[in-house]
Amino acid sequence: MIPVPGFAGATVAVLGLGRSGLTAARALRAGGAEVVAWDDGPAGRAAAEAEGFTIRDLARPEALEGVVTLITSPGIPHLYPAPHPAIRAAWDAGVTVDNDIGLFFRSLGRDGAPPRTVAITGSNGKSTTSALLHHILTHAGRTAHLAGNIGRGVLDLDPPGEEDVVVLELSSYQTELARSLTPDIAVLTNLSPDHLDRHAGPGGYFAAKRRLFAEGGPDRAVVGVDEDEGRFLANQMQEAPGDDRVIRISTGRLSGAGWRVTARKGWLAEHRKERQIASVDLRDVAGLPGRHNHQNACAAWAASRALGLAPREIEAGLRSYPGLPHRSQRVAERGGVAFVNDSKATNVDAAAQALQAFDRIRWICGGLMKEGGLGGLRPHLGHVVRAYVIGREAEAFALALGPGVEAVICTDMATAVARAAADAQPGETVLLAPAAASFDQYDNFERRGEDFAARVGALGPA
């Protein structure tokens, strides 16, 4: 655990007592703070009470008397669509609002030289990029830690040494509120519409991501430039043409004198000062199938190079990377048919990327449709042989796919897997890439992916 300094003897409030909130409460207490806590759910309150924390309804103005800071969990709205009552109360009382990411960056270097930090954000691919970078570093013999929106809460880490690297996956919820954001290297993988209600539209969503680059001014920025927002950000970060402070990444063609890493037709290439430095054939890297994973490889390659790793070290890490659960995860092969779990493809853009990674697809999709509909998927449905639609909105989802897709209403995962497996021919892929949220049937996308894998495992011999 990283004890949070600067609050010894002061009272700090913690709102939301899930993984990050309860960890923040412990870290604050370890640093000498008096902690009062609240969660809207009785289970969260009970867990905190069992550890000796004082429970206090922070929405009541008197509950904030003497409190110097309110630390809030990322899932709690603090502005849109409406602030949580406890956050409104903190504003009214003049109590500053922060989160565990802000506390982490404030804690670095208090007891010696800080570690190197890489913070990774984006709409899609940030988990894979974070896990891949962590794998490359550890495979090369570097001491690295992985935390944030993936794995452990950041304050749950053991205090890192000055030779260590901390790799943080950060969501827009985390970057938007943190009062301190000072990574050595900041990475934006890509941007597509997501969480629009939480950020009051695409402009607010991009602004939340951009704070990672604007607040502390990272030493180096790795920016995906396949969307206009990325091009805008890269241009803002560079001080002159060819400025090596910015590494642009793309799955298309890039030119110019600057530092760039691209992946086209399965080949990753690094250019610097108009000269190719290295290239790698990604087409046979089993843990990184498809164009979207090649973009992730570009981001991890660029961050690794910024940390001083040699191309040969990075390539070895890429080739040994096993992949992440629920992200283009090959869970089985049965009678020449591959079964791939991409349950993390919860939005249209992520599903479109998955659909481009395989040739003939029996596609399991559906769930709670997100704002904007499914129109963005239609140009990417050419590899779909048949769709097997699940979820409470299955009929509406199938209609939204349009007349060009043969769709079968299956409603639940068991039916979809059984039908797809029965229909699939050798050489085809049964792909779970829902293009929708899971909450109509599952607690989260992990549970959905686990159900898919379990149903595949129960099919028996081909």
Side-chain angles (χ1 to χ4, degrees):
M1 176 169 294
I2 300 174
V4 177
F7 295 104
T11 301
V12 179
V14 175
L15 176 64
L17 297 169
R19 184 192 63 172
S20 65
L22 200 52
T23 299
R26 295 175 187 135
L28 284 159
R29 183 166 62 184
E34 296 291 331
V35 178
V36 298
W38 180 257
D39 192 288
D40 290 339
R45 298 196 296 270
E49 245 181 336
E51 295 192 27
F53 292 108
T54 300
I55 300 301
R56 193 184 295 175
D57 185 352
L58 299 172
R60 295 186 293 108
E62 63 271 21
L64 292 169
E65 289 178 9
V67 171
V68 297
T69 297
L70 172 66
I71 305 302
T72 182
S73 295
I76 296 173
H78 58 269
L79 189 55
Y80 303 109
H84 188 280
I87 292 177
R88 285 189 188 275
W91 295 344
D92 293 342
V95 173
T96 58
V97 180
D98 202 350
N99 63 14
D100 64 326
I101 302 301
L103 293 179
F104 168 77
F105 280 111
R106 286 180 53 173
S107 302
L108 291 182
R110 293 294 186 99
D111 299 315
R116 303 293 300 281
T117 56
V118 183
I120 298 167
T121 195
S123 297
N124 300 304
K126 56 185 179 292
S127 294
T128 296
T129 300
S130 301
L132 176 58
L133 175 59
H134 178 261
H135 174 82
I136 291 168
L137 289 166
T138 55
H139 192 269
R142 303 283 290 274
T143 301
H145 311 268
L146 180 63
N149 201 46
I150 184 173
R152 304 169 72 180
V154 65
L155 294 171
D156 193 40
L157 295 174
D158 293 330
E162 62 180 286
E163 298 299 321
D164 296 0
V165 179
V166 178
V167 180
L168 297 179
E169 179 198 334
L170 299 182
S171 71
S172 58
Y173 297 177
Q174 292 167 308
T175 58
E176 185 174 46
L177 190 60
R179 297 175 74 90
S180 179
L181 279 171
T182 54
D184 297 286
I185 300 167
V187 179
L188 175 71
T189 57
N190 51 56
L191 201 79
S192 61
D194 208 358
H195 308 304
L196 300 187
D197 58 337
R198 178 69 180 263
H199 300 293
Y205 179 53
F206 176 50
K209 299 287 191 186
R210 183 179 173 276
R211 287 192 76 244
L212 182 60
F213 299 81
E215 291 302 305
D219 296 334
R220 183 150 280 134
V222 176
V223 182
V225 295
D226 288 341
E227 297 87 31
D228 284 342
E229 291 88 351
R231 297 185 187 98
F232 171 83
L233 179 60
N235 185 267
Q236 281 203 318
M237 296 297 295
Q238 73 177 44
E239 296 178 0
D243 180 10
D244 273 0
R245 184 186 175 207
V246 180
I247 308 176
R248 295 180 296 156
I249 63 169
S250 177
T251 53
R253 189 185 300 276
L254 286 181
S255 59
W259 197 349
R260 61 191 189 273
V261 180
T262 58
R264 298 185 66 245
K265 298 181 179 179
W267 281 88
L268 182 149
E270 177 188 357
H271 287 80
R272 195 170 183 182
K273 301 186 186 302
E274 302 282 12
R275 188 167 66 89
Q276 181 169 304
I277 305 297
S279 67
V280 177
D281 186 354
L282 298 175
R283 291 172 297 179
D284 60 347
V285 177
L288 296 166
R291 180 180 175 184
H292 59 307
N293 276 310
H294 296 171
Q295 183 183 63
N296 300 332
C298 288
W301 180 286
S304 299
R305 293 288 283 144
L307 290 166
L309 270 66
R312 186 170 296 177
E313 293 178 294
I314 305 170
E315 181 176 357
L318 292 176
R319 295 198 177 281
S320 61
Y321 177 64
L324 268 182
H326 316 298
R327 287 110 170 147
S328 296
Q329 177 193 16
R330 192 184 186 101
V331 298
E333 183 169 333
R334 182 177 176 274
V337 176
F339 292 79
V340 176
N341 167 21
D342 204 334
S343 183
K344 185 62 171 67
T346 59
N347 60 40
V348 164
D349 188 65
Q353 296 291 344
L355 290 169
Q356 295 174 70
F358 307 98
D359 289 332
R360 288 181 56 81
I361 298 169
R362 302 284 174 170
W363 178 32
I364 299 177
C365 57
L368 292 180
M369 278 192 287
K370 293 192 173 181
E371 186 177 344
L374 303 177
L377 275 175
R378 289 177 190 143
H380 308 289
L381 299 176
H383 295 172
V384 174
V385 179
R386 179 178 288 172
Y388 304 80
V389 188
I390 64 173
R392 200 166 57 209
E393 302 174 345
E395 291 188 11
F397 197 100
L399 286 171
L401 290 173
V405 177
E406 181 184 349
V408 179
I409 306 299
C410 295
T411 307
D412 60 50
M413 186 69 74
T415 305
V417 169
R419 289 288 303 271
D423 293 347
Q425 302 297 311
E428 295 182 343
T429 298
V430 175
L431 171 67
L432 170 66
S438 61
F439 305 123
D440 58 332
Q441 293 184 305
Y442 302 94
D443 289 342
N444 50 49
F445 72 85
E446 291 97 340
R447 294 286 182 269
R448 178 171 58 191
E450 289 162 3
D451 190 24
F452 171 77
R455 302 294 181 181
V456 171
L459 288 172

